[in-house]
Amino acid sequence: MIIRKKYRFEAAHTVRRCTSEKCRDNIHGHSYIVEVFFEGHKLDNGCMLLDFGKIGTIKKLIDSFDHSYCLWDNEDEKFKKAILSFNKRTVTMPISPSTEGFALVLFVMIQHLLEQILMDNGEGSIQLHSVRVHETETGYAEAFKEDLSMVNFSYKDIHFTE
């Protein structure tokens, strides 16, 4: 069985090295929708796969991106310094903040959070099935565990300003 939890955040970014001049040469923002899909094969004592009350830390994580500038740590040093000095909410990511980058970053972080949740109500093995990030109404990227082979980073490589 697969269940889904939906979140939202607003953020700005620049997607360097992409084809579109609008995206690679300009700071711009989006209203992101994040869908997190969980998979399991056993219902808990309340006949639920996973009680959403147990995953409040995921909402806090998603909220950490809200109204932030998402910065690729491979950006030009002068640009990084300017963003970090003039913007109080910044997320520095080890991958370009494209929709695909967000899906992979969030997959890594949510998987780590899920591993920390105490399953004490008869839940079975709950797995993160996928993370889908909508950048626009018409486009999204969805990351699965096997997609992590395309990148080489951990949750420790993602940094949030205070």
Side-chain angles (χ1 to χ4, degrees):
M1 179 177 283
I2 294 177
I3 58 173
R4 174 197 76 144
K5 185 69 174 160
K6 184 176 172 182
Y7 304 92
R8 177 186 182 94
F9 71 94
E10 313 286 332
H13 67 168
T14 307
V15 184
R16 301 288 186 214
R17 301 183 192 164
C18 73
T19 306
S20 168
E21 288 181 26
K22 285 184 191 178
C23 293
R24 77 168 179 252
D25 296 337
N26 297 289
I27 294 173
H28 61 284
H30 299 278
S31 297
Y32 292 92
I33 302 293
V34 178
E35 296 177 273
V36 181
F37 296 87
F38 301 94
E39 182 176 4
H41 303 286
K42 180 180 184 277
L43 298 178
D44 69 9
N45 295 329
C47 295
M48 301 166 77
L49 194 69
L50 173 66
D51 186 334
F52 288 147
K54 288 190 167 206
I55 59 171
T57 55
I58 294 173
K59 181 178 181 353
K60 289 178 184 176
L61 167 66
I62 303 293
D63 287 347
S64 297
F65 285 86
D66 193 42
H67 285 80
S68 68
Y69 183 85
C70 298
L71 178 67
W72 186 14
D73 67 8
N74 201 25
E75 271 283 2
D76 176 81
E77 288 301 319
K78 284 174 43 178
F79 183 77
K80 284 197 300 192
K81 186 176 180 180
I83 289 292
L84 292 168
S85 64
F86 289 105
N87 201 60
K88 290 187 179 187
R89 290 182 64 90
T90 303
V91 181
T92 304
M93 299 169 44
I95 186 171
S96 179
S98 62
T99 309
E100 294 86 347
F102 278 119
L104 290 162
V105 160
L106 289 169
F107 190 98
V108 165
M109 296 186 83
I110 292 168
Q111 184 169 337
H112 174 71
L113 290 175
L114 188 60
E115 291 167 1
Q116 309 307 309
I117 295 171
L118 177 63
M119 299 298 177
D120 59 354
N121 193 34
E123 297 90 353
S125 176
I126 305 298
Q127 301 295 315
L128 180 57
H129 179 266
S130 63
V131 175
R132 182 181 294 167
V133 178
H134 298 257
E135 186 177 82
T136 65
E137 282 188 33
T138 60
Y140 69 80
E142 188 166 3
F144 299 85
K145 187 172 189 167
E146 56 269 20
D147 297 328
L148 298 180
S149 66
M150 292 189 283
V151 295
N152 184 23
F153 63 83
S154 81
Y155 71 94
K156 294 178 181 178
D157 298 318
I158 300 138
H159 305 281
F160 297 86
T161 53
E162 291 184 37

